[in-house]
Short mmCIF file of all heavy atoms in Angstrom, two decimals:
data_model
loop_
_atom_site.label_atom_id
_atom_site.label_comp_id
_atom_site.label_asym_id
_atom_site.label_seq_id
_atom_site.Cartn_x
_atom_site.Cartn_y
_atom_site.Cartn_z
N GLY A 100 -15.06 6.52 -109.63
CA GLY A 100 -15.87 5.45 -110.14
C GLY A 100 -17.33 5.52 -109.80
O GLY A 100 -18.06 4.58 -110.00
N SER A 101 -17.79 6.64 -109.27
CA SER A 101 -19.16 6.78 -108.90
C SER A 101 -19.95 7.32 -110.11
O SER A 101 -19.41 7.43 -111.23
CB SER A 101 -19.33 7.74 -107.72
OG SER A 101 -18.96 9.07 -108.13
N GLY A 102 -21.24 7.63 -109.89
CA GLY A 102 -22.02 8.17 -110.97
C GLY A 102 -21.96 9.64 -111.10
O GLY A 102 -22.70 10.29 -111.88
N THR A 103 -21.05 10.29 -110.42
CA THR A 103 -20.92 11.74 -110.41
C THR A 103 -20.39 12.22 -111.74
O THR A 103 -19.53 11.59 -112.34
CB THR A 103 -20.00 12.20 -109.27
OG1 THR A 103 -20.49 11.75 -108.02
CG2 THR A 103 -19.87 13.72 -109.24
N PHE A 104 -20.87 13.39 -112.23
CA PHE A 104 -20.25 14.05 -113.37
C PHE A 104 -20.15 15.54 -113.04
O PHE A 104 -20.83 16.07 -112.19
CB PHE A 104 -21.01 13.83 -114.69
CG PHE A 104 -22.39 14.41 -114.70
CD1 PHE A 104 -22.62 15.72 -115.15
CD2 PHE A 104 -23.49 13.68 -114.27
CE1 PHE A 104 -23.88 16.26 -115.20
CE2 PHE A 104 -24.77 14.21 -114.31
CZ PHE A 104 -24.98 15.51 -114.76
N ILE A 105 -19.22 16.23 -113.75
CA ILE A 105 -18.85 17.65 -113.43
C ILE A 105 -19.19 18.49 -114.62
O ILE A 105 -18.78 18.19 -115.74
CB ILE A 105 -17.41 17.76 -113.02
CG1 ILE A 105 -17.12 16.91 -111.76
CG2 ILE A 105 -17.00 19.22 -112.78
CD1 ILE A 105 -15.65 16.85 -111.40
N ILE A 106 -19.95 19.60 -114.35
CA ILE A 106 -20.25 20.58 -115.38
C ILE A 106 -19.28 21.76 -115.27
O ILE A 106 -19.31 22.47 -114.26
CB ILE A 106 -21.68 21.11 -115.23
CG1 ILE A 106 -22.70 19.92 -115.25
CG2 ILE A 106 -22.06 22.09 -116.32
CD1 ILE A 106 -24.16 20.30 -114.93
N PRO A 107 -18.35 21.90 -116.23
CA PRO A 107 -17.42 23.02 -116.14
C PRO A 107 -18.09 24.36 -116.45
O PRO A 107 -19.07 24.36 -117.20
CB PRO A 107 -16.34 22.68 -117.13
CG PRO A 107 -17.04 21.81 -118.14
CD PRO A 107 -18.09 21.06 -117.43
N ASN A 108 -17.59 25.45 -115.88
CA ASN A 108 -18.13 26.75 -116.14
C ASN A 108 -17.43 27.33 -117.34
O ASN A 108 -16.40 27.99 -117.23
CB ASN A 108 -17.95 27.65 -114.88
CG ASN A 108 -18.66 29.00 -115.09
OD1 ASN A 108 -19.21 29.27 -116.17
ND2 ASN A 108 -18.61 29.84 -114.08
N ASN A 109 -17.95 27.01 -118.55
CA ASN A 109 -17.31 27.51 -119.74
C ASN A 109 -18.05 28.67 -120.29
O ASN A 109 -17.87 29.06 -121.48
CB ASN A 109 -17.28 26.36 -120.79
CG ASN A 109 -18.63 25.77 -121.04
OD1 ASN A 109 -19.66 26.29 -120.62
ND2 ASN A 109 -18.67 24.62 -121.73
N GLY A 110 -18.98 29.27 -119.54
CA GLY A 110 -19.65 30.46 -119.96
C GLY A 110 -20.95 30.18 -120.65
O GLY A 110 -21.80 31.10 -120.83
N ASN A 111 -21.29 28.94 -121.00
CA ASN A 111 -22.54 28.61 -121.66
C ASN A 111 -23.19 27.46 -120.90
O ASN A 111 -23.02 26.28 -121.21
CB ASN A 111 -22.31 28.20 -123.11
CG ASN A 111 -23.63 28.00 -123.87
OD1 ASN A 111 -24.68 28.41 -123.43
ND2 ASN A 111 -23.54 27.29 -124.98
N LEU A 112 -23.94 27.85 -119.83
CA LEU A 112 -24.52 26.85 -118.91
C LEU A 112 -26.04 26.70 -119.12
O LEU A 112 -26.63 25.76 -118.49
CB LEU A 112 -24.23 27.24 -117.49
CG LEU A 112 -22.74 27.30 -117.05
CD1 LEU A 112 -22.63 27.83 -115.69
CD2 LEU A 112 -22.11 25.93 -117.18
N SER A 113 -26.65 27.51 -119.88
CA SER A 113 -28.07 27.53 -119.97
C SER A 113 -28.64 26.18 -120.39
O SER A 113 -29.70 25.72 -119.91
CB SER A 113 -28.59 28.62 -120.92
OG SER A 113 -28.15 29.87 -120.46
N GLU A 114 -27.94 25.46 -121.31
CA GLU A 114 -28.47 24.21 -121.84
C GLU A 114 -28.42 23.09 -120.81
O GLU A 114 -29.03 22.04 -120.96
CB GLU A 114 -27.72 23.77 -123.11
CG GLU A 114 -26.23 23.60 -122.87
CD GLU A 114 -25.52 23.24 -124.18
OE1 GLU A 114 -25.77 22.11 -124.68
OE2 GLU A 114 -24.79 24.09 -124.70
N PHE A 115 -27.62 23.29 -119.71
CA PHE A 115 -27.59 22.27 -118.63
C PHE A 115 -28.63 22.53 -117.58
O PHE A 115 -28.77 21.70 -116.68
CB PHE A 115 -26.20 22.28 -117.98
CG PHE A 115 -25.11 21.86 -118.91
CD1 PHE A 115 -24.17 22.80 -119.39
CD2 PHE A 115 -25.02 20.55 -119.35
CE1 PHE A 115 -23.14 22.41 -120.24
CE2 PHE A 115 -24.00 20.17 -120.22
CZ PHE A 115 -23.07 21.08 -120.65
N GLN A 116 -29.37 23.61 -117.66
CA GLN A 116 -30.42 23.82 -116.67
C GLN A 116 -31.52 22.78 -116.79
O GLN A 116 -31.91 22.42 -117.89
CB GLN A 116 -30.98 25.25 -116.85
CG GLN A 116 -32.04 25.62 -115.79
CD GLN A 116 -32.32 27.12 -115.80
OE1 GLN A 116 -31.45 27.90 -115.60
NE2 GLN A 116 -33.55 27.46 -116.03
N GLY A 117 -31.99 22.26 -115.63
CA GLY A 117 -33.01 21.26 -115.64
C GLY A 117 -33.06 20.49 -114.32
O GLY A 117 -32.38 20.78 -113.37
N ILE A 118 -33.93 19.46 -114.28
CA ILE A 118 -34.11 18.63 -113.07
C ILE A 118 -33.47 17.27 -113.37
O ILE A 118 -33.89 16.58 -114.34
CB ILE A 118 -35.59 18.52 -112.71
CG1 ILE A 118 -36.15 19.89 -112.38
CG2 ILE A 118 -35.77 17.58 -111.55
CD1 ILE A 118 -37.62 19.87 -112.09
N TYR A 119 -32.52 16.85 -112.54
CA TYR A 119 -31.78 15.62 -112.76
C TYR A 119 -32.16 14.60 -111.71
O TYR A 119 -32.54 14.94 -110.56
CB TYR A 119 -30.25 15.89 -112.69
CG TYR A 119 -29.71 16.74 -113.80
CD1 TYR A 119 -29.85 18.13 -113.78
CD2 TYR A 119 -29.07 16.16 -114.89
CE1 TYR A 119 -29.31 18.91 -114.77
CE2 TYR A 119 -28.56 16.93 -115.91
CZ TYR A 119 -28.69 18.31 -115.88
OH TYR A 119 -28.16 19.07 -116.86
N ARG A 120 -32.00 13.28 -112.03
CA ARG A 120 -32.18 12.17 -111.08
C ARG A 120 -31.16 11.11 -111.46
O ARG A 120 -30.93 10.79 -112.61
CB ARG A 120 -33.59 11.69 -111.10
CG ARG A 120 -33.77 10.44 -110.23
CD ARG A 120 -35.25 10.19 -109.98
NE ARG A 120 -35.74 10.91 -108.82
CZ ARG A 120 -37.03 11.07 -108.50
NH1 ARG A 120 -37.95 10.60 -109.33
NH2 ARG A 120 -37.35 11.74 -107.43
N CYS A 121 -30.59 10.51 -110.39
CA CYS A 121 -29.57 9.44 -110.53
C CYS A 121 -30.17 8.11 -110.20
O CYS A 121 -30.93 7.97 -109.23
CB CYS A 121 -28.35 9.77 -109.65
SG CYS A 121 -27.11 8.46 -109.62
N TYR A 122 -29.83 7.05 -111.05
CA TYR A 122 -30.23 5.69 -110.82
C TYR A 122 -29.00 4.80 -110.60
O TYR A 122 -28.06 4.87 -111.44
CB TYR A 122 -31.05 5.17 -112.01
CG TYR A 122 -32.38 5.83 -112.21
CD1 TYR A 122 -32.43 7.13 -112.80
CD2 TYR A 122 -33.59 5.27 -111.86
CE1 TYR A 122 -33.65 7.76 -113.02
CE2 TYR A 122 -34.78 5.90 -112.07
CZ TYR A 122 -34.79 7.17 -112.64
OH TYR A 122 -35.99 7.81 -112.81
N ALA A 123 -29.01 4.00 -109.47
CA ALA A 123 -27.90 3.06 -109.20
C ALA A 123 -28.48 1.64 -109.23
O ALA A 123 -29.37 1.36 -108.44
CB ALA A 123 -27.24 3.37 -107.86
N SER A 124 -27.95 0.77 -110.12
CA SER A 124 -28.57 -0.54 -110.32
C SER A 124 -27.52 -1.64 -110.29
O SER A 124 -26.37 -1.47 -110.69
CB SER A 124 -29.30 -0.60 -111.68
OG SER A 124 -30.21 0.44 -111.80
N ASN A 125 -27.94 -2.82 -109.77
CA ASN A 125 -27.19 -4.06 -109.99
C ASN A 125 -28.27 -5.11 -110.28
O ASN A 125 -29.46 -4.82 -110.44
CB ASN A 125 -26.26 -4.43 -108.85
CG ASN A 125 -27.01 -4.64 -107.54
OD1 ASN A 125 -28.26 -4.80 -107.54
ND2 ASN A 125 -26.29 -4.70 -106.42
N LYS A 126 -27.87 -6.37 -110.31
CA LYS A 126 -28.79 -7.40 -110.75
C LYS A 126 -29.94 -7.65 -109.75
O LYS A 126 -30.94 -8.21 -110.10
CB LYS A 126 -28.08 -8.69 -111.03
CG LYS A 126 -27.50 -9.35 -109.76
CD LYS A 126 -26.83 -10.68 -110.12
CE LYS A 126 -26.31 -11.39 -108.86
NZ LYS A 126 -25.71 -12.68 -109.19
N LEU A 127 -29.77 -7.11 -108.51
CA LEU A 127 -30.82 -7.29 -107.50
C LEU A 127 -31.88 -6.21 -107.56
O LEU A 127 -33.02 -6.43 -107.13
CB LEU A 127 -30.21 -7.35 -106.09
CG LEU A 127 -29.21 -8.45 -105.86
CD1 LEU A 127 -28.66 -8.37 -104.40
CD2 LEU A 127 -29.78 -9.81 -106.12
N GLY A 128 -31.48 -4.98 -108.02
CA GLY A 128 -32.47 -3.93 -108.01
C GLY A 128 -31.84 -2.57 -108.32
O GLY A 128 -30.68 -2.49 -108.69
N THR A 129 -32.67 -1.54 -108.16
CA THR A 129 -32.25 -0.18 -108.52
C THR A 129 -32.67 0.77 -107.41
O THR A 129 -33.84 0.77 -106.96
CB THR A 129 -32.86 0.28 -109.84
OG1 THR A 129 -32.48 -0.62 -110.89
CG2 THR A 129 -32.45 1.68 -110.22
N ALA A 130 -31.72 1.67 -107.00
CA ALA A 130 -31.98 2.73 -106.05
C ALA A 130 -31.94 4.05 -106.83
O ALA A 130 -31.17 4.20 -107.79
CB ALA A 130 -30.97 2.71 -104.93
N ILE A 131 -32.75 5.01 -106.45
CA ILE A 131 -32.79 6.31 -107.16
C ILE A 131 -32.57 7.43 -106.17
O ILE A 131 -32.86 7.29 -104.94
CB ILE A 131 -34.11 6.51 -107.90
CG1 ILE A 131 -35.30 6.60 -106.92
CG2 ILE A 131 -34.32 5.38 -108.92
CD1 ILE A 131 -36.64 6.91 -107.61
N SER A 132 -32.01 8.55 -106.63
CA SER A 132 -31.78 9.73 -105.81
C SER A 132 -33.02 10.58 -105.84
O SER A 132 -33.92 10.41 -106.63
CB SER A 132 -30.59 10.50 -106.32
OG SER A 132 -30.88 11.10 -107.56
N GLU A 133 -33.00 11.61 -104.94
CA GLU A 133 -34.04 12.65 -105.00
C GLU A 133 -33.70 13.54 -106.22
O GLU A 133 -32.60 13.58 -106.76
CB GLU A 133 -34.06 13.46 -103.73
CG GLU A 133 -34.45 12.67 -102.52
CD GLU A 133 -34.63 13.58 -101.30
OE1 GLU A 133 -35.47 14.48 -101.37
OE2 GLU A 133 -33.97 13.38 -100.26
N GLU A 134 -34.69 14.29 -106.67
CA GLU A 134 -34.51 15.16 -107.81
C GLU A 134 -33.54 16.29 -107.46
O GLU A 134 -33.57 16.85 -106.31
CB GLU A 134 -35.86 15.73 -108.24
CG GLU A 134 -36.77 14.74 -108.88
CD GLU A 134 -38.06 15.37 -109.39
OE1 GLU A 134 -38.40 16.45 -108.86
OE2 GLU A 134 -38.74 14.77 -110.25
N ILE A 135 -32.69 16.63 -108.41
CA ILE A 135 -31.68 17.69 -108.22
C ILE A 135 -31.95 18.71 -109.30
O ILE A 135 -31.82 18.42 -110.52
CB ILE A 135 -30.24 17.11 -108.36
CG1 ILE A 135 -30.02 15.98 -107.34
CG2 ILE A 135 -29.20 18.24 -108.19
CD1 ILE A 135 -28.74 15.21 -107.59
N GLU A 136 -32.32 19.97 -108.89
CA GLU A 136 -32.57 21.03 -109.84
C GLU A 136 -31.35 21.87 -110.03
O GLU A 136 -30.78 22.39 -109.08
CB GLU A 136 -33.74 21.90 -109.37
CG GLU A 136 -34.09 22.96 -110.39
CD GLU A 136 -35.27 23.86 -109.95
OE1 GLU A 136 -35.66 23.74 -108.77
OE2 GLU A 136 -35.71 24.68 -110.74
N PHE A 137 -30.86 21.97 -111.27
CA PHE A 137 -29.68 22.78 -111.60
C PHE A 137 -30.20 24.07 -112.22
O PHE A 137 -30.82 24.06 -113.32
CB PHE A 137 -28.79 22.04 -112.58
CG PHE A 137 -27.50 22.72 -112.88
CD1 PHE A 137 -26.53 22.86 -111.88
CD2 PHE A 137 -27.24 23.28 -114.14
CE1 PHE A 137 -25.32 23.53 -112.20
CE2 PHE A 137 -26.07 23.91 -114.43
CZ PHE A 137 -25.11 24.01 -113.42
N VAL A 138 -30.00 25.19 -111.48
CA VAL A 138 -30.50 26.50 -111.88
C VAL A 138 -29.37 27.35 -112.36
O VAL A 138 -28.35 27.53 -111.70
CB VAL A 138 -31.17 27.21 -110.65
CG1 VAL A 138 -31.68 28.58 -111.07
CG2 VAL A 138 -32.32 26.33 -110.16
N VAL A 139 -29.51 27.90 -113.60
CA VAL A 139 -28.50 28.81 -114.19
C VAL A 139 -29.12 30.23 -114.14
O VAL A 139 -30.01 30.56 -114.92
CB VAL A 139 -28.17 28.40 -115.62
CG1 VAL A 139 -27.13 29.39 -116.16
CG2 VAL A 139 -27.66 26.99 -115.67
N PRO A 140 -28.67 31.01 -113.18
CA PRO A 140 -29.32 32.36 -113.06
C PRO A 140 -28.87 33.27 -114.18
O PRO A 140 -27.73 33.20 -114.69
CB PRO A 140 -28.81 32.81 -111.70
CG PRO A 140 -27.49 32.14 -111.54
CD PRO A 140 -27.60 30.83 -112.18
N HIS A 141 -29.78 34.13 -114.59
CA HIS A 141 -29.41 35.17 -115.57
C HIS A 141 -29.06 36.43 -114.82
O HIS A 141 -29.42 36.63 -113.64
CB HIS A 141 -30.59 35.46 -116.50
CG HIS A 141 -31.77 36.06 -115.84
ND1 HIS A 141 -32.69 35.32 -115.14
CD2 HIS A 141 -32.19 37.35 -115.71
CE1 HIS A 141 -33.60 36.10 -114.59
NE2 HIS A 141 -33.34 37.33 -114.97
N VAL A 142 -28.36 37.33 -115.45
CA VAL A 142 -27.94 38.57 -114.80
C VAL A 142 -29.11 39.52 -114.79
O VAL A 142 -29.62 39.89 -115.89
CB VAL A 142 -26.73 39.22 -115.53
CG1 VAL A 142 -26.40 40.54 -114.88
CG2 VAL A 142 -25.53 38.27 -115.55
N PRO A 143 -29.64 39.89 -113.60
CA PRO A 143 -30.80 40.78 -113.57
C PRO A 143 -30.45 42.18 -114.09
O PRO A 143 -29.39 42.70 -113.86
CB PRO A 143 -31.19 40.76 -112.09
CG PRO A 143 -29.91 40.46 -111.38
CD PRO A 143 -29.13 39.55 -112.25
N LYS A 144 -31.45 42.72 -114.81
CA LYS A 144 -31.25 44.10 -115.34
C LYS A 144 -32.56 44.88 -115.31
O LYS A 144 -33.64 44.29 -115.47
CB LYS A 144 -30.77 44.06 -116.81
CG LYS A 144 -29.39 43.44 -117.00
CD LYS A 144 -29.00 43.48 -118.47
CE LYS A 144 -27.62 42.85 -118.67
NZ LYS A 144 -27.24 42.85 -120.12
#
Side-chain angles (χ1 to χ4, degrees):
S101 67
T103 302
F104 65 89
I105 299 173
I106 304 173
N108 187 356
N109 55 12
N111 185 17
L112 298 174
S113 300
E114 59 182 291
F115 295 109
Q116 181 166 303
I118 298 175
Y119 293 81
R120 173 165 273 167
C121 174
Y122 293 77
S124 305
N125 64 13
K126 68 178 183 177
L127 299 181
T129 301
I131 64 175
S132 71
E133 295 188 58
E134 290 182 338
I135 304 170
E136 183 180 8
F137 186 68
V138 178
V139 180
H141 66 279
V142 177
K144 294 181 180 179

